[in-house]
Amino acid sequence: MEKRVVIAVILSIAVLYAYSMIFPPPQKKDVVKPGPVPQSQTAPVQAVSSTSVLPAIMQQGNVSVRDLVVETDLFTAVFSTRGAGLKKLVLKRYKETSGPGGREVVLVNEEAAEKFSLLTEGKSFGIEPTVVYNSISNGLKLAGNEKGTLEFLSTSPTGIVFKKSYIFTGNDYRIDLHQELLNNSPTKFGGSLHLIGNNRIEAKPGDGRFEVYGPVTLADDKINTEKVADFSKGPKQYDKNILWTAFADKYFMNAILSDNNSIAAVRLAKVNTNYLQDDVSSPPLALNPGQSAAVNYRIFYGPKDLEILKGQGSRLEEAIDFGWFSALAKPLLRTLKFFYSYTHNYGIAIIIITVILKLLFFPLTHKSYKSMKEMQKLQPKMAELKEKFKNDRDAMNRAVMDLYKTHKVNPMGGCLPMIVQIPVFFALYKALMFSIELRHAPFMLWIMDLSAKDPYYVTPVIMGVTMFVQQKMTPSNMDPVQAKMMLALPVVFTFMFLNFPSGLVLYWLVNNILTIAQQTYINKSLPS
């Protein structure tokens, strides 16, 4: 859909403003081992007493499969002592559908232990992913800045004591994961820990939330986005300078973020038709008897909100694809949120931004229409030159350029101001198209969700009519055949916008109305 609108807009602008004024009318393997890890990425290892790190949890814990519920201001999470894994996570502030009866968004919901997320495996240490852990925790309920910890502990058959701690804050989506190993045996052990995320593949055709869907990893200073369908050919592997790896749709994501170079490699693989597994490897660990090592991560389950993601650090906000003009899209989105803080209506905020952009570009637009008017006046003389030099195209081009020079007309004057506005248009397009702020945001009357299409197609039809009026008012030097062809553009755009988010259609509609008013003013102010 996005490619179609980009191509359509570029072609229409090129035909309307450039062509008609510049030229006369024509006649891998399944198992991939992580690569070598730089010494700077080796996890910290320190010698400690073999008894000092054994907490009371070892004696008091109940070795049984239990669910531990964590309630915060932002989500409800269910962890299991089976694998110390995440079994369920529900976001409190977002609904699956708009309206009071909408169900809360569920990011994780699994019953089979092997499908839980955030399982830890370390075969060289004897750590199995679905072992039952000890825990003296009975769940948490946190609000505001309150912090709380869930602790899980087990001892492997090899004598390795493994403690897994999740640290939560009541008003933050961030979860800190602390994993500690203690070699409580007389033997030296070495290897890596693997943190495993299981992502259920359940994209629903026609649901706007899944227009963007799949894994994304920031590795080697590059955002790597993969399509789920591509994993039928084999797994993907990253092993250079990994900051985070995530699985995301258009509005929500889960991510594992490196903490002090704790991610050495990431392996993404489709384990069956329903799951994509994210295997995060730690740097190599070497434990002599009595030594311990710690591997930490930051975990995120939440909305793809620009400010929230930026607050997580590690450039996590780059998971939102704002395209080539992200440097413009981000401030435009922040401006949109600024006006919303006063209007409490994103539809009105879109209208305000559209008006401001029109005012900012008014000098350029005025210059553009003035140039087109002047070019239109020269059309009879250009027709004469065409007839006079019809057999000598080079002579005709020289004569036309002399005509421009004599009348001080710049043939690019009508085109360049429009080209300058294209980056702003596409930046705003991206900001509106992928903004979670518009999700389920009502405007007025029948438009109750600015991220969804107009249910009655009223705004796209009105937009097509305004585009037709705007086109008729625009100065043009096209021949009759070209003019008729251009009349089809409003029809094409109308059908293309029928299923676009109503917030984007609102922007285009208001922009067209302002352009009509602008053209009316310019036509009256310029001499005929």
Side-chain angles (χ1 to χ4, degrees):
M1 180 184 295
E2 179 183 341
K3 290 182 179 179
R4 293 202 303 269
V5 72
V6 170
I7 294 171
V9 171
I10 292 176
L11 287 178
S12 62
I13 291 174
V15 174
L16 280 171
Y17 299 111
Y19 182 84
S20 63
M21 291 182 291
I22 301 174
F23 304 103
Q27 307 259 356
K28 298 172 195 179
K29 289 183 179 181
D30 288 344
V31 177
V32 182
K33 294 183 179 180
V37 180
Q39 186 65 31
S40 62
Q41 290 190 1
T42 302
V45 178
Q46 56 184 9
V48 296
S49 165
S50 62
T51 57
S52 63
V53 298
L54 294 179
I57 191 174
M58 284 292 291
Q59 290 76 36
Q60 301 177 18
N62 180 17
V63 186
S64 61
V65 178
R66 296 186 295 131
D67 288 345
L68 307 178
V69 179
V70 179
E71 289 273 0
T72 74
D73 295 336
L74 304 175
F75 59 81
T76 300
V78 180
F79 289 81
S80 174
T81 55
R82 172 74 72 181
L86 178 61
K87 182 176 182 179
K88 186 174 184 178
L89 191 139
V90 181
L91 300 180
K92 291 185 175 181
R93 297 188 177 180
Y94 297 91
K95 306 287 186 180
E96 291 286 358
T97 56
S98 58
R103 294 182 297 105
E104 293 174 329
V105 169
V106 179
L107 295 186
V108 179
N109 189 13
E110 300 295 342
E111 291 298 330
E114 66 274 12
K115 301 305 179 187
F116 293 167
S117 285
L118 306 179
L119 300 174
T120 301
E121 182 179 55
K123 290 183 178 179
S124 56
F125 300 105
I127 299 172
E128 296 296 330
T130 57
V131 68
V132 180
Y133 285 72
N134 290 276
S135 180
I136 59 173
S137 301
N138 291 311
L140 298 168
K141 189 169 185 178
L142 306 170
N145 293 321
E146 290 180 337
K147 289 185 178 293
T149 302
L150 285 187
E151 288 188 343
F152 301 88
L153 192 137
S154 70
T155 302
S156 73
T158 59
I160 296 293
V161 179
F162 180 54
K163 185 169 73 170
K164 196 170 180 181
S165 304
Y166 295 96
I167 301 97
F168 306 86
T169 305
N171 57 5
D172 199 340
Y173 288 101
R174 169 175 168 167
I175 304 171
D176 290 308
L177 173 57
H178 178 77
Q179 299 181 112
E180 186 176 358
L181 292 161
L182 168 68
N183 186 356
N184 199 25
S185 76
T187 307
K188 179 178 179 179
F189 286 90
S192 296
L193 287 180
H194 295 259
L195 186 63
I196 300 170
N198 289 301
N199 303 288
R200 185 191 290 266
I201 302 170
E202 54 180 357
K204 302 168 186 174
D207 189 332
R209 176 177 161 188
F210 297 101
E211 291 173 14
V212 175
Y213 191 70
V216 55
T217 303
L218 177 52
D220 202 19
D221 203 34
K222 178 184 175 184
I223 297 293
N224 301 275
T225 303
E226 310 290 348
K227 294 181 180 179
V228 172
D230 292 341
F231 287 92
S232 58
K233 304 173 185 176
K236 307 287 183 181
Q237 174 98 10
Y238 302 102
D239 55 15
K240 293 182 180 178
N241 304 318
I242 301 166
L243 291 186
W244 50 262
T245 182
F247 192 88
D249 58 41
K250 186 176 180 179
Y251 296 120
F252 304 100
M253 66 183 293
N254 60 71
I256 300 172
L257 292 80
S258 172
D259 191 330
N260 193 26
N261 298 317
S262 58
I263 300 180
V266 171
R267 182 178 184 271
L268 302 167
K270 202 171 182 181
V271 293
N272 55 45
T273 57
N274 298 320
Y275 290 88
L276 188 73
Q277 192 174 86
D278 197 341
D279 185 341
V280 176
S281 302
S282 74
L285 308 170
L287 292 178
N288 290 317
Q291 282 190 318
S292 71
V295 179
N296 301 323
Y297 298 104
R298 286 170 288 142
I299 310 298
F300 177 84
Y301 282 83
K304 290 171 69 175
D305 179 290
L306 181 63
E307 300 306 323
I308 291 175
L309 295 185
K310 189 173 182 180
Q312 305 304 311
S314 300
R315 297 162 55 189
L316 188 60
E317 70 275 9
E318 294 181 28
I320 306 177
D321 180 17
F322 285 118
W324 296 338
F325 305 112
S326 60
L328 290 172
K330 291 177 182 178
L332 283 171
L333 182 55
R334 292 189 178 101
T335 304
L336 181 73
K337 295 173 76 169
F338 170 79
F339 287 120
Y340 174 79
S341 67
Y342 289 96
T343 64
H344 304 292
N345 187 307
Y346 275 110
I348 295 175
I350 290 171
I351 293 173
I352 293 173
I353 286 182
T354 309
V355 172
I356 291 174
L357 289 175
K358 266 298 175 189
L359 291 174
L360 289 175
F361 283 114
F362 181 81
L364 285 174
T365 309
H366 188 277
K367 182 178 179 181
S368 172
Y369 279 94
K370 183 179 178 181
S371 178
M372 285 190 285
K373 279 276 191 182
E374 290 170 347
M375 287 287 294
Q376 196 174 38
K377 292 177 185 178
L378 294 181
Q379 285 307 298
K381 293 184 179 181
M382 290 180 66
E384 292 176 4
L385 293 176
K386 179 182 174 184
E387 179 63 27
K388 181 177 179 180
F389 298 103
K390 60 183 177 181
N391 296 322
D392 190 343
R393 190 171 186 82
D394 290 337
M396 183 190 72
N397 289 337
R398 287 194 298 270
V400 168
M401 294 307 296
D402 289 340
L403 181 66
Y404 290 156
K405 191 173 182 180
T406 301
H407 291 271
K408 298 180 180 179
V409 173
N410 181 1
M412 297 297 293
C415 185
L416 288 177
M418 298 300 172
I419 294 176
V420 172
Q421 298 179 58
I422 291 177
V424 177
F425 163 75
F426 283 118
L428 187 58
Y429 166 82
K430 278 284 192 176
L432 295 178
M433 195 73 172
F434 296 97
S435 169
I436 193 173
E437 288 77 7
L438 297 189
R439 184 176 184 267
H440 298 167
F443 176 39
M444 60 177 61
L445 300 176
W446 66 92
I447 299 179
M448 300 307 295
D449 185 353
L450 287 166
S451 70
K453 67 180 181 180
D454 184 330
Y456 303 111
Y457 305 111
V458 174
T459 49
V461 172
I462 297 176
M463 185 215 71
V465 172
T466 58
M467 190 173 179
F468 176 78
V469 174
Q470 176 189 341
Q471 191 180 86
K472 296 294 287 185
M473 294 178 66
T474 304
S476 173
N477 11 330
M478 297 181 184
D479 63 22
V481 175
Q482 289 174 323
K484 288 180 180 179
M485 290 176 61
M486 293 306 297
L487 288 177
L489 275 181
V491 178
V492 172
F493 268 66
T494 298
F495 278 97
M496 190 168 59
F497 272 65
L498 288 177
N499 293 310
F500 270 29
S502 53
L504 187 62
V505 179
L506 176 64
Y507 158 72
W508 200 297
L509 170 59
V510 174
N511 184 71
N512 284 354
I513 293 172
L514 293 174
T515 301
I516 290 171
Q518 191 178 44
Q519 287 177 338
T520 302
Y521 170 77
I522 292 174
N523 289 341
K524 289 181 178 179
S525 63
L526 292 177
S528 354

